[in-house]
Amino acid sequence: MSITNETANLHQNDPAVLCCLRNKGTIISASDLEDPTIVPDLRESGLLTIPEDALTIGQVLGATLKEDTDAMTSLTPDLLDGYSKKTEGSAEIRSSEPVNTGTSQSAGVIKFSISNVQGQIELPDGLANIGLPFTAPTVEKKPEDKIIRTLTQKEFAVQKVCMGTETSFNHGILTLRRDLCADSLKADPLVKAAEVDIIPAEDRHVYANTIMDVMPIATKVEGLLGEGVTHVMSGVVIMLTGVDEKGVQVHEFGSCEGYLDENIRFGRPGCPDPEDIIIRVNVTIQENTGMERRGPYAAHKACDAIIQEIREVLKRAPAEACTKQDVFHDWKRPGKPRVMLVKEIMGQGAMHDNVLLPAEPAGVEGGQRNVDLGNVPVVLSPNEVRDGGIHALTCIGPSTKEDTRHYFREPLVNLMAEDDEINLVGVVFIGSPQVNDEKSYVSARLGAWAEALDVEGAIVTTEGFGNNHIDFAENIDQIGRRGIDVVGVSYCAYQGQLVVGNKHMDAMIELNKDPEGFENEILGDSTLCPEDAERALLMLKTKMAGIPIEPANRQWQQEVIDANQQLIR
Amino acid sequence: MDYELTPKLLPGKILEVTEREVKVTLKGRMGIITVPLRCVLTDQPLHVGLKIQVYLSYIQVV
């Protein structure tokens, strides 16, 4: 398959291989050459050998074949006359040109646009005596970073959780009302039963139904989501599990029921930490509703009703009981490169859905689901994300899905929001619909957002793998085609290899943590971790600085990731 | 849309065997497949729990 002149220019340093039989005397052009992107495959399959003295595409263009030569032949000096000894760079030396400045062309002033400092400027005699109209450079005042929003999260450590006659939180002991579960059924008629039990850190070998989510317990005390004061319980998380009345797991494909110590990568952003107490809420929903949107949503609503009663006592926790306080700011950093973070979320229905901006942190009530919003991109401030602005309905268990706790402590949001070299203008959540036309529709809106926000750089992440990688590629393309530097972040490795691509996907971060590159069914294992976030941000800064990024290997190699990680430490 | 589909060798195990078909589940919660017995290559009698592997890619609607 021959290539175009544009492709030949992009691959000037790649080996030149004839695509078809060419006769003696042929002057080599792009149309005589094989596509360099498939050359590695041809070499792997043994169809092609590249000798040491092989010439590059840049060297052979315009050269003349000395003899009739077969297709799939790597061009070497003995086959060509007039090839270049050395590939010439594509950098053009442009001469300085006068600039037409319209009305500003005042008498006696000639302005030059200087694009390259080479050669010399000769001035006529006498000009030196009249003085050149240079003015002292004005010292520009460096614009200062401004805080536009402040969020204070006050942590209250929980040492023990037990059941009792009423819900309370005193001296680090959280007591849950025994009738809480029965009352939670009022949240949705599809919920037929709910049970709560407490799983301490020292006893993790506990069997559980499919894990539907892991959530923090947090509540607003002052202000709206993303600002004011939030109380958070530390040392405890809520885990939602579920089945239907027939005993069918509320799962996506192949439920992840099993023993918690085997199914969870403790310590990941979206998982319980090793010392956390787990409050398990196990919900039974109406039979055969597990794969419809209403079934899983009902389970989340019932669980949220239980958490809300805990939130009410957490709101009243005395200030002196606070064990830690974190202050987060939303910044405006004028003068710094404007960047945005794009988080692609699932949007195909059932548990592939997310509640955006609920009334309470990581809650359900008061929010809107991205499927209902047509999966179009929605912008949140970094503080809104960090204050529980996303409640994930995603059926987790697979190692690549992001749950509610993941968004609550999203490493890339935290890193980019605090980095004072960039101006993070917002976090954009975009859903992933099923059909390609719908994917294109929402991706195009993302491109419009990038343009409207006037960003210079962007990082696009996606959870999961599969056909959402089509949106992922298109989201990157929509941003990249507007001249914006963009970095992609996803699990791909062996099993989730990308099925589409484009020229803007030249800076990618791999999230895989499984030695074999598989979806290993361990909760949170291959999700975005702090070290991945650091690689992604450094990759973006590198690209924005114009430093060339080496092309990725054709196949996933952990060694490349490890080497990149070393650059950060 | 043009896709670059490369089949991957995926592991799994047998969930059910009848005199007509075999049902297998794929590792990574990536689905359950039922195929006729004649589509299974084996050196031993089939039974539930046997590990399998299969080259698979995505399903493309045409």
Side-chain angles (χ1 to χ4, degrees), chain A residues 165-221:
Chain A
T165 52
E166 65 176 27
T167 301
S168 64
F169 180 50
N170 294 309
H171 309 296
I173 299 173
L174 173 63
T175 306
L176 305 179
R177 183 166 61 89
R178 288 196 184 85
D179 296 337
L180 195 51
C181 292
D183 288 352
S184 74
L185 305 189
K186 296 172 191 166
D188 195 300
L190 290 179
V191 180
K192 303 302 179 187
E195 307 102 42
V196 168
D197 67 341
I198 292 117
I199 302 169
E202 59 274 14
D203 184 18
R204 298 288 204 219
H205 193 62
V206 176
Y207 185 86
N209 286 322
T210 288
I211 303 168
M212 297 175 67
D213 202 4
V214 176
M215 291 155 274
I217 302 171
T219 188
K220 285 313 294 181
V221 176

Side-chain angles (χ1 to χ4, degrees), chain A residues 204-323:
Chain A
R204 298 288 204 219
H205 193 62
V206 176
Y207 185 86
N209 286 322
T210 288
I211 303 168
M212 297 175 67
D213 202 4
V214 176
M215 291 155 274
I217 302 171
T219 188
K220 285 313 294 181
V221 176
E222 190 183 307
L224 297 171
L225 215 65
E227 61 185 29
V229 178
T230 295
H231 284 184
V232 186
M233 283 184 171
S234 61
V236 63
V237 291
I238 301 285
M239 174 180 288
L240 173 62
T241 63
V243 289
D244 79 358
E245 287 176 298
K246 280 185 175 174
V248 177
Q249 300 286 329
V250 185
H251 58 73
E252 181 197 23
F253 259 98
S255 54
C256 66
E257 76 271 22
Y259 290 97
L260 297 181
D261 55 347
E262 298 167 3
N263 282 0
I264 297 175
R265 186 68 72 211
F266 290 94
R268 289 279 191 264
C271 296
D273 289 334
E275 298 80 23
D276 282 344
I277 300 167
I278 298 173
I279 300 174
R280 173 172 54 177
V281 179
N282 183 49
V283 173
T284 304
I285 58 174
Q286 183 176 308
E287 65 180 62
N288 301 325
T289 61
M291 285 307 292
E292 300 173 21
R293 290 186 71 202
R294 58 191 182 131
Y297 187 51
H300 281 263
K301 280 164 69 180
C303 185
D304 192 49
I306 291 171
I307 299 173
Q308 190 58 38
E309 185 157 319
I310 305 174
R311 290 187 187 117
E312 295 303 329
V313 296
L314 178 60
K315 280 182 202 291
R316 299 193 296 271
E320 60 271 20
C322 172
T323 48

Side-chain angles (χ1 to χ4, degrees), chain A residues 4-192:
Chain A
T4 61
N5 289 334
E6 186 187 11
T7 306
N9 280 333
L10 287 172
H11 294 271
Q12 290 212 5
N13 295 320
D14 287 336
V17 177
L18 276 188
C19 65
C20 312
L21 169 69
R22 288 292 183 260
N23 297 327
K24 178 181 176 180
T26 301
I27 297 171
I28 301 295
S29 67
S31 61
D32 302 314
L33 299 175
E34 184 53 79
D35 183 353
T37 62
I38 68 165
V39 166
D41 287 337
L42 296 171
R43 294 177 74 176
E44 267 179 32
S45 61
L47 289 171
L48 176 67
T49 306
I50 305 287
E52 280 187 13
D53 60 344
L55 298 171
T56 64
I57 291 174
Q59 287 177 288
V60 304
L61 291 174
T64 308
L65 263 184
K66 289 200 279 190
E67 56 191 69
D68 293 352
T69 309
D70 280 333
M72 293 299 115
T73 302
S74 176
L75 292 174
T76 49
D78 55 311
L79 292 171
L80 292 171
D81 276 331
Y83 63 87
S84 309
K85 290 271 164 44
K86 186 181 170 189
T87 307
E88 288 180 10
S90 58
E92 296 174 14
I93 299 174
R94 287 174 294 177
S95 57
S96 302
E97 295 173 357
V99 173
N100 184 357
T101 54
T103 55
S104 69
Q105 241 176 350
S106 56
V109 177
I110 303 169
K111 292 190 177 180
F112 288 87
S113 162
I114 299 172
S115 57
N116 198 299
V117 185
Q118 278 194 353
Q120 59 186 16
I121 300 173
E122 293 181 6
L123 300 174
D125 286 344
L127 192 58
N129 297 329
I130 63 172
L132 291 172
F134 290 149
T135 53
T138 52
V139 180
E140 281 187 27
K141 193 178 176 187
K142 196 177 171 186
E144 290 183 1
D145 295 352
K146 287 181 195 164
I147 295 170
I148 52 174
R149 199 171 292 106
T150 298
L151 167 68
T152 303
Q153 284 189 345
K154 295 184 176 180
E155 283 190 16
F156 296 82
V158 175
Q159 275 99 39
K160 187 181 174 188
V161 182
C162 56
M163 306 302 287
T165 52
E166 65 176 27
T167 301
S168 64
F169 180 50
N170 294 309
H171 309 296
I173 299 173
L174 173 63
T175 306
L176 305 179
R177 183 166 61 89
R178 288 196 184 85
D179 296 337
L180 195 51
C181 292
D183 288 352
S184 74
L185 305 189
K186 296 172 191 166
D188 195 300
L190 290 179
V191 180
K192 303 302 179 187

Side-chain angles (χ1 to χ4, degrees), chain A residues 253-254 398 436 494 499 521, chain B residues 3-4 8-9 28-30 58:
Chain A
F253 259 98
N436 285 346
Y494 177 74
V499 293
E521 303 182 16
Chain B
Y3 309 97
E4 187 180 324
K8 299 282 177 299
L9 190 59
R29 306 176 65 202
M30 294 313 294
Y58 291 93

